[in-house]
Amino acid sequence: MNLADLLTKKQAVILERWFQWFLETYPAETARFMREEKNRFANPVGSSVYQGIEGLCQELLQGMELDRVYPLLDPIVRIRAVQDFPPSRAVAFIFALKKVIFEELESEIRGGQISVEELLELESRIDNLALLSFDIYTQCREKVSQIRVEEIKRRSERLLQRANLVVDPSE
Amino acid sequence: MASLPKPDELAGINYNPPRTGWRDTPVEFRRGTYCYGAKPKNLEAVGLPNPRDWSPEDQDWKLPENWKEIILEGLRERLGRFRSLQIFMDACVRCGACADKCHFFIGSGDPRNMPVLRAELLRSVYRRDFTTAGKIFGKLAGARDLTEEVLKEWYYYFFQCTECRRCSVFCPFGIDTAEITILARELLNLVGCNIDWIAAPVANCYRTGNHLGIQPHAFKDMIDFCTEDIEKVTGVKVEPTFNRKGAEVLFITPSGDVFADPGTYTLMGYLMLFHEIGLDYTFSTYASDGGNFGLFTSHEMMKRLNAKMYAEAGRLGVKWILGGECGHMWRVIHQYMGTMNGPADFLEEPVSPITGTRFEHARSTKMIHIAEFTADLIRHNKVKLDPGRNNHLKVTFHDPRNTSRAMGLFEEPRYVLRSVCNHFREMPENTIREQTFCCGSGAGLNTDEYLEMRLRGGFPRANAVRYVHEKYGVNTVACVCAIDRAVLPTLMDYWVPGVGVAGLHELVGNALVMQGENDRTTDLRGNPLHGREEGEDV
């Protein structure tokens, strides 16, 4: 059995453990809520994350096309970027996937059933996810700064215009 | 040489929050997650205690020496004055029905934002000093001493509640956590611990009548500016009046509509509508803000700021008051005014001069919401509308926390929207009407330094918008609240780019067919009108 087959076989358990790892980054009460509440509007964080990582698990087996991966990763990182996490912790969930997979496949790896090439390819796919998540994280933080400025502008721009403090020469 | 942490350590594999219980975990004031402390000049302006320069990040909050006595005495007094507070302190059985209903809890994951725990911040102190079990058994009975750490925690979490009352909809005992927050903020104010974003508008409102402190000439000037914009779009010159004695109606709206985009487009809509129906109305340059940040300070401050509206109505000799699209103004009017500064017996029960409809529900306050007024006009075919002019907008409606849960205004804005737009879609049922999710920036928290927290709190709302955006192509959130108009664009920019925000009467203004108008080529924002074909309900 090659790595892809093994991952397919263990996909459900990998997803479950990855999600669990994710939930454990929150306090116990919150984790319980995020796991148990199934309505996506009542529990937008839990459901966005689950939906995202479920898709990412699929993508791991399907070549990780950027166009498909980005919309899965963005909602998760967008949430983590404004929650109470430093950057390292906000995107650490990507690395947790390695840990989960290697633990799940430990006996197969040690037993030599998976080739080094396959393992390196898997590692590299997850690393790419990590790199992409850095990009998204940074974009989100830049966005926060930008929208803060925009909001202040909207609040007072009319007053400035009226006071002739800003002038549009074309008008 | 220090060694590099291992990847596992760096990534924070074990990054659960501290395992200490919530009672023993002090809050951390990190930029982005707290609002700046009130400046002394703003407290002095209205005679609030303990004005001084301070920041929540400081170790020493420069509290009065006897701060603890002040707070406990304040709590004792309020337990006597507000029977509801006493009941709320005693009645909770921690059933958990409210726990996952708070947008700040849902968005931040911080369990102290569960309404039950937010209330527990105050309740634990209540138990320690006001219940026998708490006095004897202390911590075992869920009691704790009032310390500076506890006070800081109050500041952090009671200014992290938008008093939206979504939790109270689900409480089987009807405990209103918003009221607990309101009273906890009152207690914090007793020792000078307000946020400046509330204290400054309060001081400004008290002196000049509106949040920014805009003086009468500038207020008039801004509205005149708006009439020029209307003329550019429609070719019609509207002529509002100011402080005109003997007008039939006094119109009061949040000052955000006058000076901040996109509220200004909503103001254009009001002015156009009033012109078209020939309403005999006037603005007051002192009652120049419907907003009342006194509600977020203390009952007394709310009363003081509300009084100006009625003082002006009396001075100008109007018959009744028409209120613009505001959120918390309506909570003050609908829930407090009748017994606070009212009943306003010197005014008359509002009757629409156009349709003759008598608004009996406003018999005590003599003030009605513009959505009610406009819905009545449309119902009686008193205005000509071309909803096709809003065909470029696919609209959903955000119920503000106040007009929904403190007023029950559900149908009127929807009726108006369906009349002025061809494309209207509701968000999911558990996110609208009485279950609406707050914008996450209400109750005085709409300040820019608090943006990160606001984005967390606003996520549940934005998530529902994202759904209708992706599923039905919704590109506009309509609302009837000035704070929503100010903050939802920011929220949308982050969570659902491509969705704009409009006041209800901006859309009315777009659709309104005015006598003598030009063939309109743009909407009120100057965006070209195309795709004017008959739309269907998407």
Side-chain angles (χ1 to χ4, degrees), chain B residues 112-123:
Chain B
R112 274 184 281 193
N113 275 320
M114 291 177 172
V116 54
L117 277 191
R118 194 189 310 283
E120 200 67 15
L121 301 175
L122 182 61
R123 204 175 272 130

Side-chain angles (χ1 to χ4, degrees), chain B residues 400-421:
Chain B
R401 66 208 157 96
N402 283 308
T403 55
S404 57
R405 287 187 284 266
M407 195 186 178
L409 187 84
F410 300 125
E411 300 310 329
E412 292 87 343
R414 287 177 167 80
Y415 179 74
V416 174
L417 267 181
R418 288 183 186 282
S419 307
V420 300
C421 304

